[in-house]
Amino acid sequence: MLDRAEPAVNSQLREPPTQLTLFFSEAIEQRFTGARVTDQDGKRVDDRVEFDAADDTVLRVFLKPVSPGYLIVNWENVSAVDGHRISGSYALTILNPDGSQPPGAAPMIGASTSGEEPKPLRVFTKWLLLLAGCALTGAFAFSLYVTPGLPGESGQELRDFMDKRVRVLAAGALLVLALGGVVELFLQASNVGVGVGDVLDTRWGERWELRNAFLGIPLVALTASVLLSQSHRRPQAALGIAGAAVYMAITSSVSHGAAGGGAFWAVSSDFVHLLAASVWIGMLALLVVLFLRAKHMAGGEKYPVLAEALRRFSNVAVFSVALLLFTGVVNSVIELQRFSDLLDSGYGRALGVKLILLLPLLSFGGINAYLLRPSLIEAVEATANIRNRQAMLLGLEARLGRLVRWELGTAIAVLLVVGLLVQISPTRGRLDSAAQAGKFTESQTADGITATLIIDPNQPGLNSFEVDVSGDVTTIDLVRLRFTKPGTNEAVLSLEPSKPPSLYYVGEGPFISEPGKWRVAVDIRRTTGNDLLLPFDTKVAGSAVSSTGGSSDFDSPVSFTAVSVALVVLTGVLMVGMVAGSYFPRDLVGGYLSIVADGLNERLTIRRVRPVWSLAALLIIGIGLGLLLGSHVHQRLSPSQATKGNPVPSSPESIQRGMMLFSNNCTQCHGESGTGDGPLAKTLTLPPANLYDHIPYHSDQFFFGVMTNGFTGIMPAFGSLLSEDERWDILNYLRDRFGQPPPTQ
């Protein structure tokens, strides 16, 4: 993401710059990173770009001589860390020599970024790769620890059966990883817009080659398990796990954690998180297979085998889940800038969905581990005659088998959300939303007059200003704003009454030229001669990225705030408590946690509410999917917000004129349907916008500026081709035609 720029984003400059310096939050692939700068007429004024040999996050753009006016800086890059492609734009104002505003209309854009939206095919491919990675790791882990310990002749029969299933699962996983990796490579080439060979020449491509090369290790282990005797099962499985672990370590080296300071710790946490999840979920899948096979065995033979399989599986699962929870919290603290980002960002909302799905997942796992498993093992190992023992064992087997399947199904749903999560930029390394644009509103009273100043959006560059007055307003003759900041000259803006005579005055312009503390004084001239000057102080945010640690790979990747430290320490204590409580006292299956679970079971009568578990799980998943879909939905504007500032009434005549103008000037790209399917669409570098996706969410004033000045060098300017009224007519038609989604959507 764009961290900052020199000169600053949206700044006003008295001297034309000869060079722009852009600082990004991650290392960039130089071959696929560039910038173009255009003036208000769409003419390119950039001369060349250069990269900093000592800092791989810096891009310098050298400019041709430029005159007073407005510049639009368009940049794009490809991250050298994770291969994501992103682009953005921002404006600069070159003032006249006397400090006044240049001629022409200021571009109606602020700092914008695009290209960070997750693509469905990339999410699906990542999900398949995650599933296959879990299957591969879990297959070898099950073969290493669970199947060798199955007792008796029935255990031997089940070992032979499970060994075959392990080999089938591992072979299928290797095939999916190989084919999915190829699909991922072509998707990356498409995303960057280059050939496969060019992608392989990047850091991401080198890691892709290395990662897939290490699949040869589990392939050798799988081949050996087919050719060699069962006595070599454990060495073969250990070799397979080692190969899968290296594959995951390389995957983590191009994850979100690899960006920014403290990469070593962040990547290590991500790797442990991925490995723990893969072991748990992969072994869980084979446990489901084992339960299905056990249905065909005689009762007296199968229950000791099931009890031992559950005991061994739980020994591994407890450590895996404990590590999973701890590293998950650590990763969240690293990647989320603040707690509010869980609701205020796409990454945070996707993470919230994952957390919601973890609730039933951990519930199913806890019931299995601390209620049903101890009951089954105790019933199997009991020496005294137990009344209805066979019926009790059958019931426990059925409930365990059912909940294990639910546990696996929920885990697969969690992996789908993870496939989405890794495609979204975290809030670490992006613009600090808390320090960004936000409407300024403040009131002051003096000599019988109350003035309320509103600055929107209160950021460097173009702002709208409004002064609402009340009290003795009959004497007001003129309202002006005076802008001062240390190191800048005073600028003055005369406000216009919105509808004379009026109680509020409005104006617009790029009078706040840079971040920092500004004094905006409301100068009220009165007919009585007793003028007022009411000073307002506002802090204007810049485009500084949040910092979460030092720049070295071994620095801390997190900011040590009270909340972050408390979360990590609390989770660490819970992790240790979970492991200790699962094994102590040693003579009790499930440890102290089974005692706690049994007490809760009696008090909450979990057995009696069993029929609603499915409904509860479906409700949680439904809520999660709703949040997932809602995480990428813009806020629809109200009719008054959408048409504010449009001087042409939306009459049938205006809409008809707008339809004709749209047909003559816009359909070549946007198409008659407005979905970007015009005859010229395929010839353009970037597809034209789908108007249904934009018209309901932005104001007429925004689109008027886009039509007048063009947009980031992609859409041409129509300011010299269409009159103002004609542009407003088009907007009235767009609002009428595309303001609501079509019936098919």
Side-chain angles (χ1 to χ4, degrees), residues 235-387:
Q236 297 157 7
L239 180 64
I241 292 176
V246 173
Y247 178 92
M248 293 177 188
I250 299 172
T251 299
S252 295
S253 72
V254 291
S255 67
H256 290 318
F264 173 82
W265 307 110
V267 168
S268 298
S269 178
D270 186 86
F271 163 64
V272 173
H273 189 75
L274 181 59
L275 182 61
S278 298
V279 170
W280 177 33
I281 297 173
M283 292 182 68
L284 191 62
L286 283 162
L287 191 64
V288 170
V289 175
L290 187 144
F291 264 91
L292 293 175
R293 177 62 179 179
K295 288 183 177 181
H296 305 287
M297 298 172 60
E301 299 175 348
K302 67 179 174 182
Y303 291 120
V305 176
L306 283 179
E308 182 62 17
L310 285 169
R311 185 184 68 80
R312 287 176 169 265
F313 168 79
S314 293
N315 288 342
V316 178
V318 165
F319 281 102
S320 297
V321 174
L323 287 172
L324 190 69
L325 294 176
F326 179 73
T327 54
V329 170
V330 171
N331 293 345
S332 299
V333 169
I334 292 173
E335 302 301 347
L336 285 180
Q337 186 174 308
R338 61 180 59 82
F339 183 78
S340 60
D341 287 339
L342 275 171
L343 299 176
D344 297 338
S345 68
Y347 183 89
R349 286 187 288 266
L351 179 60
V353 174
K354 178 184 175 184
L355 295 176
I356 289 174
L357 290 176
L358 279 176
L359 294 177
L361 177 59
L362 295 176
S363 298
F364 297 146
I367 293 171
N368 286 334
Y370 302 114
L371 277 179
L372 303 182
R373 176 179 68 98
S375 297
L376 180 69
I377 293 176
E378 289 170 0
V380 170
E381 295 178 349
T383 55
N385 292 327
I386 300 177
R387 188 177 181 182

Side-chain angles (χ1 to χ4, degrees), residues 10-12 70 93 95 99-102 104-109 454-466 481 483 491-496 506-514 518 520 540 701:
N10 294 336
S11 61
Q12 294 180 327
Y70 302 97
T93 302
L95 300 171
S100 61
Q101 295 297 310
M108 299 287 290
I109 66 167
I454 301 173
I455 307 174
D456 188 14
N458 195 36
Q459 68 176 3
L462 187 67
N463 284 276
S464 63
F465 305 94
E466 180 178 322
L481 297 180
F483 302 86
V492 179
L493 170 64
S494 294
L495 301 181
E496 297 290 336
V506 296
E508 188 178 65
F511 292 92
I512 298 177
S513 57
E514 59 186 59
W518 283 80
V520 183
V540 178
Q701 285 187 323

